[in-house]
Amino acid sequence: MSNVVVVGTQWGDEGKGKVVDLLTSRADLVVRFQGGNNAGHTLVVNGKQTICHLIPSGILHDGKKCLIGNGLVVDPEVLLEEIDTLIKEGIPVSPNNLSLSEKAHLIMPYHKAIDLAREEAKGKHKIGTTGRGIGPCYEDKAGRTGIRAIDLLEPDTLEEKIEQNLKEKNFYLTKFLGAQPLEFQPILDHYRAMEELLRPYIRDVSLEIDQAIRSGKQILFEGAQGTHLDIDHGTYPFVTSSNPVSGAACAGAGVGPDKLHHINGIVKAYTTRVGSGPFPTELLDKTGDYIQEKGAEFGATTGRRRRCGWLDLLMVRDSVRFNGLTSLSITKLDVLTGLEKLKICVGYELQGKRIDSRPASLKMLAQCIPVYEELPGWHDDISDAREIDRLPRETRDYLKKIEEITEVPLSIISVGPMREQTIMIRDPF
Ligand code: IMP
């Protein structure tokens, strides 16, 4: 029996959804441990596309249980909407296959209002957040004023907390950010009404995972965002407010590190980023446009065009270290088909010296020049390949270079969006 953690090694949007979907068939429980509805994965239900932001995609598989860990910040309105949409599409969502941790923090209307007003006030210095209130909610968690799922079940605690918080938030919204204040009663009524619907889902998720492990079940921990959006290890301050690294699965789900057996890092065959922040291998030319269009690189949550660039293996090597990656999955390899030459960044040059990990200072990072190795591209369609030997030599050389530089074995290669467009080298379970 083993458990697997799947994490993004870049700035999110690595195509984790497809790998998680594949691995779900081998898991009994699928657990999210950080982030919130800033993430998004596209699900195809009865031929119709649905985007889920909170509920793990495992919900589409019969007999799998999906858990929302304590490390998430949950917008209850979004969660209820997702449950409703899936049920309308004929997917049975109930407390039998979905749990919400009683310790997860709730996104409140003032978190969203602050997120939006603050970004507006920052103008060209904005982070480019998803505007979902993620950062302000995590701030309250760290500031010990947050409202947790369990508080929904205690009407007096809920009322008291909303009242206290709102006084402070309205002061900040109006006096500092120049935004509109929010009214107390509608918020209280709305959250009280949602309590009734959410109550059956609110549980001790850590205990549920422990019981599952004791009865021989396998767990898949599903990371959101990516390592370089990590609040500690990412391109701070252009990061999200949680820890998308694998170790966060412990704190964010309530399990010990001995329960994490395999850590699979998802590497998109090139690099993308949404929102602001440094991006050393960014392509601001026709090649960047080609990748953006061919890879349909638009954010699943905000619909923003993703910035595109060459594969940056210095970043991925940093991710290997931060996460303890035991295997890599390469996604969207087919998008690179047709390019004459491919570049892979293998390190940076800073003030005339070669460096092999990203400097913490953004000023230093701005001075870094990517060191590239150039490889020949391939033209043959690779989307029908199901074995590594069926790939053109140039494609195999590209993959070999990734393995050589990262020193981590490859496990899954995705050559197209469909489930079957996959080369399984070794199963991370
Ligand atoms: P926040 O998480 O909404 O606070 O946004 C902070 C930064 O993280 C912004 O640059 C967002 O675009 C980025 N971000 C948040 N979630 C995702 C994601 O799931 N994929 C890619 N970028 C994300």
Side-chain angles (χ1 to χ4, degrees):
M1 286 300 127
S2 58
N3 303 321
V4 173
V5 189
V6 170
V7 291
T9 62
Q10 295 153 319
W11 280 298
D13 310 316
E14 295 91 354
K16 292 182 288 296
K18 176 176 163 179
V19 176
V20 166
D21 182 58
L22 281 167
L23 296 181
T24 295
S25 58
R26 310 271 282 110
D28 301 291
L29 265 65
V30 185
V31 184
R32 266 197 69 183
F33 54 90
Q34 46 72 228
N37 60 318
N38 45 352
H41 40 252
T42 309
L43 312 175
V44 181
V45 189
N46 303 329
K48 224 172 110 187
Q49 276 204 355
T50 307
I51 298 179
C52 267
H53 300 281
L54 280 168
I55 301 181
S57 41
I59 203 79
L60 300 188
H61 298 245
D62 266 357
K64 310 288 170 186
K65 179 128 207 206
C66 292
L67 309 179
I68 297 176
N70 58 278
L72 275 89
V73 287
V74 175
D75 188 328
E77 203 173 323
V78 172
L79 180 58
L80 286 170
E81 260 169 38
E82 287 186 6
I83 295 173
D84 203 41
T85 307
L86 290 171
I87 290 174
K88 280 195 187 126
E89 292 300 334
I91 310 296
V93 186
S94 75
N96 292 331
N97 61 352
L98 180 69
S99 293
L100 165 65
S101 167
E102 52 194 12
K103 296 179 190 161
H105 279 249
L106 299 183
I107 295 182
M108 305 297 294
Y110 44 79
H111 293 137
K112 288 182 263 188
I114 290 171
D115 197 359
L116 294 170
R118 208 188 255 161
E119 285 280 277
E120 173 96 25
K122 279 190 175 148
K124 69 179 174 51
H125 298 293
K126 69 178 179 192
I127 305 286
T129 72
T130 58
R132 304 294 194 262
I134 308 292
C137 186
Y138 276 118
E139 283 169 34
D140 279 1
K141 174 177 177 174
R144 289 155 293 186
T145 55
I147 298 180
R148 302 186 297 167
I150 192 77
D151 297 327
L152 280 181
L153 310 187
E154 293 171 12
D156 295 347
T157 314
L158 183 71
E159 183 168 355
E160 202 179 298
K161 283 193 166 186
I162 295 179
E163 197 172 15
Q164 269 172 10
N165 283 350
L166 203 58
K167 272 190 209 141
E168 195 179 317
K169 304 301 177 193
N170 273 342
F171 181 81
Y172 180 57
L173 274 167
T174 55
K175 301 274 190 268
F176 187 76
L177 293 170
Q180 292 299 314
L182 299 176
E183 272 182 65
F184 166 72
Q185 201 56 46
I187 299 180
L188 181 65
D189 294 346
H190 187 37
Y191 276 67
R192 279 206 173 141
M194 290 193 287
E195 178 269 323
E196 208 175 309
L197 299 167
L198 285 173
R199 178 180 281 270
Y201 295 94
I202 300 174
R203 307 236 175 78
D204 185 336
V205 160
S206 164
L207 209 56
E208 270 190 73
I209 299 174
D210 189 60
Q211 281 159 355
I213 292 175
R214 282 170 194 274
S215 60
K217 301 227 157 91
Q218 304 208 107
I219 322 285
L220 177 63
F221 293 95
E222 175 184 349
Q225 288 82 48
T227 299
H228 293 272
L229 286 174
D230 186 279
I231 182 103
D232 288 284
H233 301 293
T235 41
Y236 191 90
F238 299 100
V239 293
T240 193
S241 299
S242 65
N243 290 109
V245 292
S246 62
C250 295
V255 299
D258 60 323
K259 302 296 185 300
L260 313 182
H261 305 119
H262 302 287
I263 320 290
N264 187 250
I266 316 293
V267 182
K268 180 143 62 181
Y270 45 94
T271 314
T272 60
R273 166 159 217 173
V274 269
S276 326
F279 185 169
T281 64
E282 183 166 14
L283 284 162
L284 297 164
D285 58 7
K286 275 201 204 122
T287 311
D289 292 344
Y290 176 86
I291 295 174
Q292 196 274 329
E293 278 158 36
K294 197 155 172 235
E297 294 294 350
F298 291 97
T301 300
T302 56
R304 289 178 289 179
R305 204 180 142 101
R306 295 177 185 145
R307 300 154 66 192
C308 297
W310 294 123
L311 178 59
D312 186 339
L313 287 182
L314 177 142
M315 275 178 70
V316 178
R317 275 171 60 109
D318 277 349
S319 294
V320 171
R321 197 172 68 252
F322 298 141
N323 293 289
L325 301 180
T326 56
S327 65
L328 300 181
S329 294
I330 311 297
T331 59
K332 295 192 120 171
L333 191 58
D334 54 302
V335 173
L336 297 181
T337 302
L339 287 170
E340 211 54 50
K341 288 204 161 32
L342 300 169
K343 286 185 179 183
I344 292 190
C345 168
V346 292
Y348 295 162
E349 203 181 282
L350 175 61
Q351 295 163 356
K353 282 200 192 113
R354 169 76 182 259
I355 56 165
D356 290 316
S357 77
R358 200 191 48 228
S361 151
L362 289 197
K363 279 204 180 121
M364 293 277 206
L365 183 56
Q367 293 173 39
C368 286
I369 303 161
V371 178
Y372 288 113
E373 284 193 20
E374 203 170 272
L375 282 85
W378 59 88
H379 293 277
D380 294 348
D381 181 11
I382 60 167
S383 58
D384 290 331
R386 301 292 174 263
E387 281 155 36
I388 197 115
D389 296 344
R390 304 300 295 269
L391 293 172
R393 187 176 48 78
E394 293 80 3
T395 320
R396 280 183 279 132
D397 287 347
Y398 191 78
L399 294 173
K400 223 182 277 164
K401 181 59 72 185
I402 299 175
E403 224 169 10
E404 184 189 304
I405 303 282
T406 59
E407 300 177 275
V408 180
L410 307 185
S411 55
I412 297 171
I413 315 290
S414 171
V415 290
M418 308 305 287
R419 204 180 273 182
E420 60 277 9
Q421 290 176 312
T422 304
I423 300 171
M424 182 69 83
I425 303 174
R426 52 181 76 79
D427 186 338
F429 271 104

Short mmCIF file of all heavy atoms in Angstrom, two decimals, residues 6 13-24 40-43 56-58 61 220 222-223 266 331 417 419:
data_model
loop_
_atom_site.label_atom_id
_atom_site.label_comp_id
_atom_site.label_asym_id
_atom_site.label_seq_id
_atom_site.Cartn_x
_atom_site.Cartn_y
_atom_site.Cartn_z
N VAL A 6 0.95 14.57 -5.62
CA VAL A 6 1.20 15.17 -6.94
C VAL A 6 1.33 16.68 -6.75
O VAL A 6 0.43 17.30 -6.17
CB VAL A 6 0.05 14.83 -7.92
CG1 VAL A 6 0.18 15.62 -9.20
CG2 VAL A 6 0.05 13.34 -8.23
N ASP A 13 -0.67 25.33 -13.30
CA ASP A 13 -1.18 25.04 -14.64
C ASP A 13 -0.29 24.08 -15.41
O ASP A 13 -0.16 24.18 -16.63
CB ASP A 13 -1.37 26.33 -15.47
CG ASP A 13 -2.15 27.38 -14.72
OD1 ASP A 13 -3.15 27.01 -14.10
OD2 ASP A 13 -1.74 28.56 -14.74
N GLU A 14 0.35 23.16 -14.72
CA GLU A 14 1.24 22.20 -15.39
C GLU A 14 0.47 21.05 -16.02
O GLU A 14 1.07 20.21 -16.69
CB GLU A 14 2.26 21.62 -14.38
CG GLU A 14 3.26 22.60 -13.80
CD GLU A 14 2.74 23.22 -12.52
OE1 GLU A 14 1.58 22.97 -12.15
OE2 GLU A 14 3.51 23.97 -11.87
N GLY A 15 -0.83 21.01 -15.78
CA GLY A 15 -1.61 19.88 -16.31
C GLY A 15 -1.72 18.79 -15.25
O GLY A 15 -1.80 17.60 -15.57
N LYS A 16 -1.76 19.21 -14.00
CA LYS A 16 -1.88 18.25 -12.89
C LYS A 16 -3.18 17.46 -12.99
O LYS A 16 -3.22 16.29 -12.65
CB LYS A 16 -1.86 18.97 -11.52
CG LYS A 16 -0.54 19.61 -11.17
CD LYS A 16 -0.58 20.27 -9.82
CE LYS A 16 -1.39 21.55 -9.79
NZ LYS A 16 -0.89 22.66 -10.59
N GLY A 17 -4.23 18.14 -13.47
CA GLY A 17 -5.56 17.54 -13.52
C GLY A 17 -5.58 16.20 -14.23
O GLY A 17 -6.14 15.23 -13.75
N LYS A 18 -4.90 16.14 -15.38
CA LYS A 18 -4.92 14.90 -16.16
C LYS A 18 -4.17 13.79 -15.41
O LYS A 18 -4.64 12.65 -15.36
CB LYS A 18 -4.29 15.14 -17.54
CG LYS A 18 -4.21 13.86 -18.32
CD LYS A 18 -3.71 13.99 -19.72
CE LYS A 18 -3.29 12.60 -20.20
NZ LYS A 18 -2.80 12.59 -21.55
N VAL A 19 -3.03 14.13 -14.83
CA VAL A 19 -2.25 13.11 -14.10
C VAL A 19 -3.03 12.64 -12.87
O VAL A 19 -3.11 11.44 -12.60
CB VAL A 19 -0.85 13.67 -13.72
CG1 VAL A 19 -0.07 12.66 -12.88
CG2 VAL A 19 -0.07 14.06 -14.96
N VAL A 20 -3.66 13.59 -12.18
CA VAL A 20 -4.46 13.22 -11.00
C VAL A 20 -5.60 12.30 -11.44
O VAL A 20 -5.87 11.28 -10.81
CB VAL A 20 -4.99 14.49 -10.29
CG1 VAL A 20 -6.09 14.15 -9.30
CG2 VAL A 20 -3.85 15.23 -9.59
N ASP A 21 -6.21 12.63 -12.55
CA ASP A 21 -7.31 11.81 -13.07
C ASP A 21 -6.82 10.38 -13.35
O ASP A 21 -7.48 9.41 -12.98
CB ASP A 21 -7.85 12.48 -14.34
CG ASP A 21 -9.03 11.72 -14.91
OD1 ASP A 21 -10.01 11.56 -14.18
OD2 ASP A 21 -8.96 11.26 -16.06
N LEU A 22 -5.65 10.27 -13.97
CA LEU A 22 -5.10 8.94 -14.27
C LEU A 22 -4.81 8.16 -12.99
O LEU A 22 -5.13 6.98 -12.87
CB LEU A 22 -3.76 9.09 -15.02
CG LEU A 22 -3.84 9.40 -16.50
CD1 LEU A 22 -2.48 9.81 -17.02
CD2 LEU A 22 -4.32 8.17 -17.24
N LEU A 23 -4.21 8.85 -12.04
CA LEU A 23 -3.80 8.17 -10.81
C LEU A 23 -4.97 7.86 -9.88
O LEU A 23 -4.88 6.97 -9.03
CB LEU A 23 -2.74 8.99 -10.06
CG LEU A 23 -1.41 9.18 -10.81
CD1 LEU A 23 -0.44 9.99 -9.98
CD2 LEU A 23 -0.79 7.83 -11.16
N THR A 24 -6.07 8.60 -10.07
CA THR A 24 -7.24 8.38 -9.21
C THR A 24 -7.74 6.95 -9.30
O THR A 24 -8.22 6.38 -8.32
CB THR A 24 -8.35 9.39 -9.57
OG1 THR A 24 -7.87 10.69 -9.26
CG2 THR A 24 -9.62 9.14 -8.77
N GLY A 40 -8.08 25.59 -10.61
CA GLY A 40 -9.22 25.21 -11.46
C GLY A 40 -8.83 24.07 -12.35
O GLY A 40 -7.75 24.07 -12.91
N HIS A 41 -9.68 23.06 -12.42
CA HIS A 41 -9.41 22.02 -13.40
C HIS A 41 -10.68 21.76 -14.21
O HIS A 41 -11.79 21.78 -13.70
CB HIS A 41 -8.86 20.73 -12.77
CG HIS A 41 -9.51 20.36 -11.48
ND1 HIS A 41 -8.88 20.48 -10.27
CD2 HIS A 41 -10.74 19.89 -11.23
CE1 HIS A 41 -9.70 20.10 -9.33
NE2 HIS A 41 -10.84 19.73 -9.88
N THR A 42 -10.45 21.56 -15.49
CA THR A 42 -11.56 21.37 -16.41
C THR A 42 -11.96 19.90 -16.42
O THR A 42 -11.13 19.03 -16.63
CB THR A 42 -11.14 21.83 -17.83
OG1 THR A 42 -10.59 23.13 -17.70
CG2 THR A 42 -12.31 21.86 -18.78
N LEU A 43 -13.22 19.65 -16.15
CA LEU A 43 -13.71 18.28 -16.17
C LEU A 43 -14.69 18.14 -17.33
O LEU A 43 -15.43 19.07 -17.62
CB LEU A 43 -14.48 17.96 -14.87
CG LEU A 43 -13.84 18.33 -13.55
CD1 LEU A 43 -14.81 18.04 -12.41
CD2 LEU A 43 -12.57 17.53 -13.34
N PRO A 56 -11.98 17.93 -5.72
CA PRO A 56 -11.03 17.18 -6.54
C PRO A 56 -11.73 16.44 -7.68
O PRO A 56 -12.89 16.01 -7.53
CB PRO A 56 -10.40 16.18 -5.55
CG PRO A 56 -10.62 16.77 -4.21
CD PRO A 56 -11.91 17.53 -4.30
N SER A 57 -11.01 16.30 -8.82
CA SER A 57 -11.63 15.68 -9.99
C SER A 57 -11.96 14.21 -9.76
O SER A 57 -12.73 13.61 -10.51
CB SER A 57 -10.75 15.84 -11.23
OG SER A 57 -9.41 15.65 -10.90
N GLY A 58 -11.40 13.65 -8.69
CA GLY A 58 -11.71 12.26 -8.32
C GLY A 58 -13.20 12.02 -8.12
O GLY A 58 -13.66 10.88 -8.17
N HIS A 61 -15.06 9.72 -10.41
CA HIS A 61 -14.82 8.28 -10.41
C HIS A 61 -15.67 7.60 -9.34
O HIS A 61 -15.68 8.02 -8.19
CB HIS A 61 -13.34 7.99 -10.11
CG HIS A 61 -12.41 8.56 -11.14
ND1 HIS A 61 -11.63 7.77 -11.95
CD2 HIS A 61 -12.13 9.84 -11.48
CE1 HIS A 61 -10.92 8.54 -12.74
NE2 HIS A 61 -11.19 9.80 -12.48
N LEU A 220 -4.27 9.61 -2.60
CA LEU A 220 -3.65 10.52 -3.55
C LEU A 220 -3.80 11.94 -3.01
O LEU A 220 -4.93 12.40 -2.79
CB LEU A 220 -4.34 10.38 -4.92
CG LEU A 220 -3.85 11.31 -6.03
CD1 LEU A 220 -2.40 11.05 -6.37
CD2 LEU A 220 -4.71 11.13 -7.27
N GLU A 222 -3.52 15.75 -3.73
CA GLU A 222 -3.52 16.57 -4.95
C GLU A 222 -3.12 18.01 -4.64
O GLU A 222 -3.88 18.74 -4.00
CB GLU A 222 -4.94 16.51 -5.56
CG GLU A 222 -5.12 17.40 -6.75
CD GLU A 222 -6.56 17.42 -7.29
OE1 GLU A 222 -7.39 16.60 -6.87
OE2 GLU A 222 -6.83 18.30 -8.12
N GLY A 223 -1.93 18.41 -5.08
CA GLY A 223 -1.48 19.79 -4.86
C GLY A 223 -2.17 20.73 -5.82
O GLY A 223 -2.58 20.33 -6.91
N ILE A 266 4.88 17.46 -11.49
CA ILE A 266 4.40 17.65 -12.86
C ILE A 266 5.19 18.78 -13.52
O ILE A 266 5.27 19.89 -12.99
CB ILE A 266 2.89 18.01 -12.91
CG1 ILE A 266 2.09 17.10 -11.96
CG2 ILE A 266 2.37 17.94 -14.33
CD1 ILE A 266 2.03 15.67 -12.32
N THR A 331 4.09 16.89 -19.16
CA THR A 331 2.79 17.13 -19.80
C THR A 331 2.94 18.05 -21.03
O THR A 331 3.92 18.78 -21.14
CB THR A 331 1.79 17.77 -18.82
OG1 THR A 331 2.35 19.01 -18.38
CG2 THR A 331 1.51 16.88 -17.63
N PRO A 417 -4.45 15.78 -24.75
CA PRO A 417 -5.36 16.02 -23.63
C PRO A 417 -6.18 14.80 -23.17
O PRO A 417 -6.62 14.74 -22.03
CB PRO A 417 -6.29 17.12 -24.14
CG PRO A 417 -6.18 17.08 -25.63
CD PRO A 417 -4.84 16.50 -25.97
N ARG A 419 -7.31 11.05 -21.94
CA ARG A 419 -6.78 10.12 -20.94
C ARG A 419 -5.83 9.09 -21.57
O ARG A 419 -4.77 8.79 -21.04
CB ARG A 419 -7.96 9.40 -20.29
CG ARG A 419 -7.66 8.88 -18.92
CD ARG A 419 -8.86 8.19 -18.34
NE ARG A 419 -9.76 9.11 -17.64
CZ ARG A 419 -10.87 8.72 -17.02
NH1 ARG A 419 -11.22 7.46 -17.02
NH2 ARG A 419 -11.65 9.58 -16.41
#
